[in-house]
Amino acid sequence: MKKAFLAIAAIALAAGSQAQDSAQAKIPFGGMDLSWINGQNRQKNFPLVVTDKNGETILTGVVLLDGYFNYNFARPKDNTQTISAATGRSNEFTLNQASIGIESNYKNIIGRLWLQTGNSLNIVQEADGSVGRGRNTSTGNLKFIREAAAGYHFNVDHGLNVEMGIFMSYIGLESYVTQENWSYQRSLVCDFTPFYFQGARLQYYPSKKFKTELWLLNGWQSYNSWSKNIGFGNSNYFRPSENVQLVANFYYGNDSKSGTPELSKVRRFHHDNSIVARYHKKDPSQGGITQAAFSLNTHYGFQSGEGVKRKDNYMAGTSLAHRLWFNHNKLAWTVRGGWLTNPGGYLAFIPAAAGNIPNDYDIAIASGKDLKVGELSTTLDIMPNDFVTFRFEYLHRKANMPYFAGAGGTTSQTGFNNDPIDPAWKADLRTSENRVIVGVNFRL
């Protein structure tokens, strides 16, 4: 009798183990450590977790703080950092982003709410011109929401998710959250592309190693639609192992001001692809270099239609970064180089307010001249644990025309935006810039 009982117990345990293994096998990218990837959260531990009596996770809380001191060697008199969505101020201490959020996948229900504030809102959310279309809309009621989505997970193959809300952008390798990137200042190709979308997405995992997404979007980094048409997107991730990630993203939409005959039918296409590969890894308890990896992110896009010619309105560029981890993965060193051209300037940052830009820039962009910008940076990260990063970065960028802020600044002759502007004053623009960024990121 005892032997029979033990046999039945063994069968039950084996069945339970097989069921657990089967469930584990169905988790997309299950068992992979992706914390080393450029553009991914490097956390491995998440202490703010609420579970039910069976130990199943109900909610995961997140707290994020990001601050920096950005020293611009030009010392612009208005302390304004231009041509950047990662840093908006220079030569002063700045709270870039403070964010809290909750996420849940409890019983297949998907819920996500992130709230945010900080200087990054001035650069990214408040620049959204789509909220000027119609009434009952503004950035005021949306800019404090970093991400908010609701949906459902269907147990199809390795997963099928349907969600609607405000999402972080899928375009580009690097993240809106600087803690997730290998460098503080995002690469040019990623800084010139969207950081958020409002719309709906379908995520499908046909296998453990592959994900594809279909997107319906209001527009290119916009809360509202620019026209009567919505945008379409597609994102594809293939991870044959935890050491390699291959990505291909696509976007197609109408993102010009509707009602203007020469622009209302202009269509925008954008594509980016990337490879991130880790070619060296060893036990972090050992000395020396513990990890080594590189990332390559390439972009191409254009606008065309209604007299807008593709050859005069396109964007192309690439960014190559290499990273080494050492001292038990508590230190990391990144070197990055990048290049971008954007004839017509339809994605480029505007270096100063309209009317205050020196004529050589205005004429060049209006005539379709190629805006070409290159960059080099080196970054040292000190990471005592999963939850804090101290970052020291040097950045050099150079353009083929005056594009970066000089000592005279880009606001007014006094540097204050509430002083009357001298009609003869023009923004002080230079062809190059050099900066040192000291950043601190906390994430729990």
Side-chain angles (χ1 to χ4, degrees):
M1 188 71 170
K2 182 177 179 182
K3 290 182 178 180
F5 175 79
L6 290 174
I8 293 171
I11 293 171
L13 287 172
S17 177
Q18 289 173 358
Q20 186 176 6
D21 291 343
S22 176
Q24 176 67 24
K26 288 292 185 179
I27 298 175
F29 312 120
M32 295 185 182
D33 174 17
L34 307 176
S35 61
W36 63 272
I37 294 178
N38 195 3
Q40 296 285 325
N41 181 12
R42 70 175 187 84
Q43 273 181 276
K44 296 179 182 178
N45 300 306
F46 298 86
L48 303 181
V49 174
V50 178
T51 60
D52 64 13
K53 62 181 180 180
N54 297 318
E56 185 177 353
T57 298
I58 300 174
L59 291 174
T60 300
V62 186
V63 178
L64 173 68
L65 294 172
D66 173 21
Y68 66 83
F69 187 94
N70 169 46
Y71 183 81
N72 188 324
F73 285 82
R75 299 184 62 83
K77 67 164 56 178
D78 56 0
N79 286 47
T80 300
Q81 177 61 53
T82 60
I83 322 302
S84 173
T87 52
R89 301 292 294 169
S90 66
N91 305 82
E92 63 186 33
F93 293 97
T94 306
L95 174 64
N96 196 28
Q97 187 180 99
S99 185
I100 58 173
I102 54 172
E103 301 178 353
S104 178
N105 294 299
Y106 188 61
K107 296 188 181 302
N108 288 28
I109 298 172
I110 298 172
R112 192 180 314 109
L113 175 61
W114 282 79
L115 304 179
Q116 66 174 355
T117 188
N119 181 247
S120 62
L121 273 64
N122 296 83
I123 315 169
V124 179
Q125 278 78 8
E126 290 187 7
D128 186 351
S130 72
V131 297
R133 185 167 184 256
R135 296 179 296 161
N136 306 324
T137 180
S138 73
T139 59
N141 64 340
L142 293 172
K143 66 182 179 181
F144 297 110
I145 300 175
R146 205 194 89 190
E147 189 167 5
Y152 192 80
H153 171 82
F154 296 89
N155 296 320
V156 176
D157 293 329
H158 281 71
L160 177 68
N161 300 331
V162 179
E163 299 177 73
M164 182 181 293
I166 297 174
F167 303 91
M168 294 291 93
S169 169
Y170 65 90
I171 295 177
L173 172 67
E174 293 175 307
S175 172
Y176 174 66
V177 179
T178 60
Q179 176 261 3
E180 298 180 350
N181 302 326
W182 290 355
S183 303
Y184 195 94
Q185 172 62 56
R186 284 181 289 268
S187 63
L188 289 163
V189 289
C190 288
D191 231 17
F192 279 35
T193 51
F195 297 106
Y196 63 88
F197 290 117
Q198 183 159 227
R201 72 179 178 188
L202 183 149
Q203 297 177 313
Y204 175 49
Y205 300 83
S207 73
K208 177 180 177 179
K209 299 180 178 181
F210 180 68
K211 174 183 73 170
T212 186
E213 301 182 359
L214 296 177
W215 290 71
L216 298 178
L217 314 162
N218 283 347
W220 179 273
Q221 188 158 303
S222 61
Y223 291 121
N224 297 352
S225 295
W226 286 98
S227 69
K228 296 179 180 179
N229 304 310
I230 61 173
F232 300 89
N234 172 237
S235 178
N236 303 277
Y237 278 71
F238 177 50
R239 293 170 175 142
S241 74
E242 72 172 27
N243 294 317
V244 178
Q245 172 181 279
L246 303 174
V247 180
N249 299 318
F250 303 87
Y251 174 87
Y252 181 77
N254 181 188
D255 294 281
S256 55
K257 191 175 180 180
S258 181
T260 306
E262 67 273 17
L263 291 178
S264 60
K265 295 183 180 180
V266 173
R267 297 291 182 173
R268 176 176 297 170
F269 169 81
H270 197 89
H271 163 63
D272 82 89
N273 57 79
S274 63
I275 175 172
V276 188
R278 180 172 60 182
Y279 61 88
H280 172 75
K281 178 189 177 183
K282 68 178 183 180
D283 189 333
S285 65
Q286 301 179 22
I289 297 174
T290 49
Q291 296 185 98
F294 72 87
S295 70
L296 177 65
N297 186 211
T298 301
H299 290 239
Y300 173 72
F302 61 85
Q303 292 192 148
S304 64
E306 293 295 304
V308 176
K309 298 179 180 179
R310 182 186 305 185
K311 68 180 182 67
D312 295 327
N313 289 267
Y314 71 89
M315 181 267 215
T318 190
S319 175
L320 175 64
H322 184 266
R323 186 171 175 90
L324 298 174
W325 289 258
F326 45 98
N327 191 32
H328 315 294
N329 284 342
K330 296 185 181 297
L331 297 175
W333 176 43
T334 301
V335 177
R336 187 187 68 200
W339 167 86
L340 176 144
T341 185
N342 187 199
Y346 71 95
L347 288 185
F349 291 99
I350 300 173
N356 297 329
I357 306 174
N359 288 332
D360 51 359
Y361 177 86
D362 286 341
I363 294 172
I365 292 298
S367 65
K369 181 178 178 180
D370 294 8
L371 169 65
K372 296 179 179 179
V373 188
E375 64 181 351
L376 287 171
S377 68
T378 180
T379 307
L380 175 66
D381 286 346
I382 302 174
M383 303 169 288
N385 53 42
D386 267 10
F387 312 115
V388 66
T389 303
F390 299 93
R391 180 161 283 179
F392 302 87
E393 183 165 299
Y394 171 76
L395 171 70
H396 170 75
R397 299 195 292 185
K398 186 174 179 61
N400 64 331
M401 61 182 73
Y403 192 52
F404 302 103
T410 56
T411 302
S412 71
Q413 70 278 6
T414 65
F416 288 85
N417 59 21
N418 53 1
D419 287 344
I421 298 177
D422 184 340
W425 180 83
K426 296 292 182 183
D428 182 8
L429 300 182
R430 310 291 173 86
T431 59
S432 66
E433 73 167 5
N434 294 280
R435 293 192 276 143
V436 171
I437 303 171
V438 179
V440 180
N441 292 307
F442 165 77
R443 184 169 183 165
L444 190 63

